[in-house]
Amino acid sequence: MSIVVDHVSRNFGDTVALSHVSFTAGPGITGLLGHNGAGKSTLLSLLAGFSSPSEGSVRVNDRDPKRDLAVHTDLGVVPDGQGLWHHLTAREAVTALARMRGVGDPSAAAAAALAEVGLTDAADRRLGQYSKGMGQRAKLAQALVHDPGVLLLDEPLNGLDPAQRRHMIDVVTRRAAAGCTVLVSSHVLHEVERMAPRVVVLVNGRVVAEGETSGIKALLRDRPQTVRVTTAADPRALASALAGAASTHAVRVHDNTLEIETSDPEQLGQSLSRAAAASRTTLRGIEPVGEDLESLYAYLTARARGSAR
Amino acid sequence: MTVATIVFRRVLRAKRTWALALLPALGIVVGYMMLTNATDEKAAYAGYLSGLLFPLIVALVSWVVAASAVTDERDELTILYLAQTPVARLRTAVETWLATWAASLILVALPVLMAALLARNADLAASSVLDVVVASVLASAAYCGLGVLVGFFTKRAAIWGLVYVLLWESIMSGFAAGARNLSISQHARAIAARGVDPWTRHEIDPPSTSAGVALVVLVAIVGVSLLLAGRRFSRMNLP
């Protein structure tokens, strides 16, 4: 495997950023999914050799990325949020990094990498004049310039418009199809889903789910969900009508609202319209409760703890 | 020399660098006044070296340029790009030092030239002019070495440099002989005072070491600083 993370923990003082994280990744794209602060950037930083784990070990192409600098001849990294040298043009910066990584013809390699990310026309502009999206593409170009076998991409789609996102995904997908091992982090499931057939989910520094992206998505889809229904009048008749429905796990009444727990929102929608007609209740609004990422991750965390027990 | 080129261009484009140039400009003004108004030319030369050139202009310019070059890379996280290359960390430290040393020498060139003019004005031997140039170049190298080293340890390296230069190099080293031997500017003075007459040498007030020892000390400071800086860079945890 190109990437091996073995029982890795990383502490910052009393704060545990990563706790006993283990997984492997080989050729193709692996998504690293997690909310902000989950430990994604810390993990990528360890794999890039920017820092050392407090416990455990990381290997990239069977090398320790912190100690063995030769790893960088076959490793490309797009760090999160930071730009390249603002006083250089994109061509100068990418050429310089190609030269430092031992590329035979740095100028030609830089031109090819900048063309691959669609920056040929802007290659001779200073990076300080770049928009955020162009900066992201320049960062990807420097990561690709030495044609690495392993790519670590930390939130690479941040700051990109939809067309740029599509282009970035195409570039990464092509590299993966050619045999490159790509580990890409994101806090947005559908972004990862578009790129990665396999995903590792991190919550509060722990791996809470790992496997095929479609499986993780199904897991999330099947979890219990809460729907809030607002009615025009007293909703108790509607609550009674819904209580026996197969899709309903529990119903709570609050003034003019009902909170309904279900594992099948689609079937609940059908039951709800029938129950509303039967109980002559006018519906004012229907909205999901806790559909944010935090609640999804909380569910996965609770599930992981349950399976651990 | 890719790292050196990147750092050198960055230093020359930084506003801080050109704000620092005010210090050499002040040195030139003061030196010119000494050149034109001094009644005792040897005392003027000695005072310029001991009070202005080494402990303030060369020290502050070199330290701040070097330390800031490293802390800018750290603050803006462009150090992450230097870290994702197979280039040895010691080499990165050495190239950073070379770039900042070269930039510092550009900034202090005119004040050093003014010292040479003051030496000629004091009827000192031609070798004294060479000595003061060598002393300035080596002092700048040593301050840059320390600046690079401290820059890898703390992001407030420039502030620490100001405190060090103003307290230690300018004040403390003038009081005690022991402190004098630990001062870069005092060793620079030992080289600059090598060929001057005893009276002028007394006014320059170098440490009790010879110019040869001073030269070895300054070179050693550069070597040890860069070794430690390379070691620190290879071991430090980046974000």
Side-chain angles (χ1 to χ4, degrees):
Chain A
M1 284 290 177
S2 310
I3 292 173
V4 178
V5 178
D6 187 16
H7 290 94
V8 164
S9 298
R10 179 79 174 100
N11 307 325
F12 297 100
D14 292 337
T15 306
V16 179
L18 292 172
S19 178
H20 303 289
V21 171
S22 295
F23 70 91
T24 59
I29 305 178
T30 300
L32 190 58
L33 186 68
H35 58 82
N36 290 331
K40 306 185 297 294
S41 294
T42 303
L43 183 55
L44 290 175
S45 171
L46 295 174
L47 287 165
F50 298 156
S51 55
S52 305
S54 307
E55 279 178 56
S57 68
V58 293
R59 310 286 289 178
V60 174
N61 286 338
D62 211 24
R63 296 173 191 271
D64 178 343
K66 182 69 177 166
R67 291 170 184 268
D68 189 348
L69 298 183
V71 76
H72 294 290
T73 55
D74 198 35
L75 170 64
V77 184
V78 174
D80 179 31
Q82 294 83 38
L84 282 158
W85 296 284
H86 286 184
H87 63 290
L88 301 181
T89 66
R91 191 185 305 282
E92 288 169 340
V94 176
T95 305
L97 286 163
R99 187 173 294 118
M100 284 190 259
R101 292 174 192 149
V103 174
D105 185 348
S107 302
L114 288 164
E116 189 172 356
V117 300
L119 280 178
T120 299
D121 292 342
D124 295 311
R125 277 168 58 187
R126 284 191 199 287
L127 287 157
Q129 299 168 351
Y130 269 26
S131 66
K132 191 172 179 189
M134 292 167 78
Q136 282 290 82
R137 286 189 280 161
K139 283 160 56 181
L140 181 61
Q142 66 78 29
L144 299 176
V145 71
H146 52 305
D147 198 17
V150 179
L151 270 175
L152 305 175
L153 312 176
D154 197 354
E155 306 266 2
L157 303 182
N158 276 0
L160 300 183
D161 63 32
Q164 291 171 339
R165 282 172 182 242
R166 273 197 302 277
H167 183 73
M168 178 80 88
I169 290 169
D170 285 348
V171 170
V172 174
T173 308
R174 271 201 305 273
R175 288 282 177 155
C180 187
T181 297
V182 183
L183 185 60
V184 56
S185 78
S186 177
H187 59 276
V188 183
L189 177 60
H190 71 84
E191 272 184 9
V192 171
E193 189 188 359
R194 287 173 67 186
M195 279 188 276
R198 185 170 168 267
V199 70
V200 174
V201 185
L202 273 180
V203 175
N204 298 331
R206 290 174 182 272
V207 174
V208 295
E210 182 184 358
E212 288 184 8
T213 310
S214 54
I216 300 291
K217 210 184 160 202
L219 197 66
L220 294 174
R221 196 176 52 233
D222 294 343
R223 78 195 172 103
Q225 291 169 58
T226 305
V227 176
R228 183 181 293 130
V229 178
T230 309
T231 57
D234 191 338
R236 271 175 282 199
L238 176 64
S240 303
L242 276 172
S247 58
T248 306
H249 293 182
V251 180
R252 286 185 292 274
V253 181
H254 306 283
D255 299 328
N256 279 10
T257 61
L258 293 180
E259 280 191 1
I260 307 160
E261 278 186 23
T262 178
S263 58
D264 190 344
E266 213 166 294
Q267 200 185 339
L268 174 67
Q270 293 165 10
S271 305
L272 191 57
S273 52
R274 279 197 299 271
S279 62
R280 297 175 183 276
T281 306
T282 305
L283 305 182
R284 293 266 191 225
I286 304 170
E287 58 179 344
V289 178
E291 272 302 293
D292 56 300
L293 268 176
E294 291 293 332
S295 72
L296 294 180
Y297 293 136
Y299 166 67
L300 285 174
T301 309
R303 188 179 168 278
R305 282 183 185 146
S307 63
R309 281 196 294 272
Chain B
M1 297 295 277
T2 311
V3 176
T5 307
I6 292 170
V7 174
F8 185 71
R9 288 179 60 181
R10 178 179 206 147
V11 169
L12 289 192
R13 286 183 63 87
K15 289 176 185 165
R16 182 196 307 111
T17 303
W18 299 106
L20 264 181
L22 288 174
L23 202 59
L26 178 71
I28 293 163
V29 171
V30 173
Y32 180 76
M33 288 165 65
M34 288 174 154
L35 195 66
T36 52
N37 299 328
T39 50
D40 184 338
E41 289 83 0
K42 287 183 179 173
Y45 171 71
Y48 182 79
L49 293 195
S50 301
L52 199 59
L53 182 67
F54 294 136
L56 274 177
I57 297 175
V58 173
L60 274 180
V61 167
S62 304
W63 184 297
V64 173
V65 163
S68 302
V70 179
T71 55
D72 283 352
E73 295 286 342
R74 294 181 62 188
D75 284 338
E76 294 170 23
L77 291 173
T78 44
I79 196 168
L80 295 182
Y81 297 96
L82 295 177
Q84 51 170 298
T85 71
V87 176
R89 301 321 186 210
L90 174 60
R91 181 172 169 177
T92 301
V94 169
E95 288 199 28
T96 302
W97 166 75
L98 271 175
T100 57
W101 186 28
S104 301
L105 290 179
I106 291 172
L107 289 176
V108 302
L110 288 178
V112 172
L113 179 66
M114 183 56 71
L117 291 175
L118 285 166
R120 298 299 296 155
N121 196 42
D123 287 332
L124 297 177
S127 62
S128 295
V129 174
L130 182 63
D131 289 342
V132 79
V133 171
V134 170
S136 302
V137 168
L138 287 176
S140 177
Y143 285 121
C144 284
L146 280 180
V148 167
L149 172 63
V150 179
F152 276 111
F153 275 92
T154 169
K155 290 184 180 180
R156 295 185 177 177
I159 303 291
W160 282 110
L162 280 175
V163 172
Y164 164 72
V165 167
L166 295 177
L167 284 183
W168 189 267
E169 294 284 337
S170 299
I171 299 173
M172 293 298 288
S173 65
F175 288 126
R180 196 171 298 172
N181 289 334
L182 294 174
S183 158
I184 290 172
S185 70
Q186 295 280 359
H187 286 289
R189 289 184 214 183
I191 296 169
R194 189 174 64 106
V196 300
D197 58 70
W199 185 86
T200 308
R201 182 180 170 82
H202 175 74
E203 286 295 300
I204 291 174
D205 196 23
S208 54
T209 53
S210 68
V213 171
L215 190 143
V216 170
V217 168
L218 294 179
V219 171
I221 288 171
V222 173
V224 172
S225 295
L226 295 181
L227 277 174
L228 293 176
R231 187 182 158 100
R232 167 70 180 164
F233 184 25
S234 66
R235 294 186 176 192
M236 70 194 296
N237 285 317
L238 299 167

